[in-house]
Each structure stands twice: as structure tokens, then as C-alpha cells.
Amino acid sequence: MNRTDFLSGLVVAALGAAGLVEALRMPRFEARGADPFTVPGLTPGLLSAILCVLGVVLVLRGMSGRVLSESARPSITQWTRASAIRTLFTIVMVLLYGTLLFGRMPFFHATALFVFVFTVGAELIDTERRLPAWKLLIGGLLLACSAAYAIDFVFTDLFLVRLPG
């Protein structure tokens, strides 16, 4: 048995189950005739259910007894220079998005700019990148616009959440 996957899966599944129980306990405002898609516990409930399912999958994988070979086993104690640079880049980009862009400009523009810069930047710091620059820029632009539109649509039109900006 792979104990790490098994125990991690138990923790993730328990957190997901606890979140789901609490989301179901939130008010639904049925007496007021509220739309079921606008209840406060919908998004936390969906995310908690996903966590619970993925935790169970991890438990089952741990119980299967499959273990990665020593050469394929990831290590969190030995970072390469490239891993450290990618991690630092990710932290800086998320902090810049949260502090400088989010709420100071329209949500669509802030998110599109973040996704574009993050995608292009992450590819440029990858030493094994094989994609030509023009394809990277066009692909990054398409991804940024489609992701920003999809996120904006889901939150404003489906979940009826007012986004900043």
C-alpha cells in the first residue's frame, strides 16, 4: 500500500466531506423564492464535492499498491533551479494580479492580462520550450481572452456574482 497517497486522500476526502456538509447547511432562501443557482452554498458545495471525490480517488490509488519507480518519484526536498524560478514566478504573478490588477480595472481585462503574461512568461522561462515566439504569443492571447470570457461568464451569468471593476 502507498501510505502517502492513502493518508493524503483520507485528509482531502474528509475536508471535502466537511465542506460539503457545511455548504448544505447554509441557507437556501426557499421561502423567498430564490433561484437555486444563487444560493450561498452552491459554489463551496460543488468545490467540496470535487475535493471529496478526488480524495477518494487518491485513497483508492493508495490502496492499489502502485508505487512510482525511484527515478520517477518527485521530491519536494530537492528543488532544481528551474523549479525554484517557476515557483517564484508563479508567486510574483499571483501577487501582482491580486494587488495591482484585481479591482483596479475591469475584471475581464485584468484576468486576460494576467493569463496572457503568466502563460507567455511561464513558457519563456522553460528552457525546453520548442514553440516559436509568434505561436506562443498568439496562443497566449487566445487562451487569455477565452479564459477571461469563460470565467466572467460563469460568475456573472451563471452564479450571478458581481465581479470588481
Side-chain angles (χ1 to χ4, degrees):
M1 176 185 292
N2 184 339
R3 286 188 348 199
T4 304
D5 284 350
F6 180 77
L7 294 175
S8 299
L10 285 176
V11 170
V12 171
L15 286 173
L20 184 58
V21 166
E22 291 303 314
L24 291 172
R25 290 181 43 190
M26 293 181 84
R28 292 191 183 90
F29 304 115
E30 295 160 336
R32 296 184 183 176
D35 183 359
F37 290 113
T38 63
V39 298
L42 180 66
T43 302
L46 291 174
L47 294 175
S48 296
I50 291 168
L51 271 177
C52 193
V53 168
L54 292 176
V56 169
V57 169
L58 197 54
V59 166
L60 294 175
R61 185 173 88 171
M63 290 171 52
S64 73
R66 292 186 315 191
V67 179
L68 294 173
S69 68
E70 196 61 41
S71 62
R73 191 173 300 211
S75 172
I76 61 170
T77 59
Q78 298 173 341
W79 280 29
T80 63
R81 177 172 160 72
S83 295
I85 290 172
R86 284 192 308 269
T87 301
L88 185 61
F89 175 73
T90 301
I91 292 169
V92 167
M93 288 303 302
V94 169
L95 288 174
L96 288 174
Y97 176 67
T99 58
L100 297 180
L101 299 178
F102 194 78
R104 296 178 190 246
M105 61 182 0
F107 179 82
F108 179 87
H109 297 122
T111 303
L113 181 61
F114 167 75
V115 171
F116 178 76
V117 172
F118 185 84
T119 302
V120 171
E123 283 294 318
L124 289 177
I125 63 175
D126 182 8
T127 57
E128 298 176 8
R129 180 177 65 87
R130 293 188 177 94
L131 200 60
W134 69 272
K135 285 185 178 181
L136 174 60
L137 293 174
I138 290 173
L141 185 62
L142 290 172
L143 177 65
C145 290
S146 59
Y149 175 78
I151 294 167
D152 188 65
F153 174 77
V154 166
F155 279 94
T156 57
D157 294 337
L158 296 182
F159 293 141
L160 303 175
V161 173
R162 287 183 44 209
L163 297 172

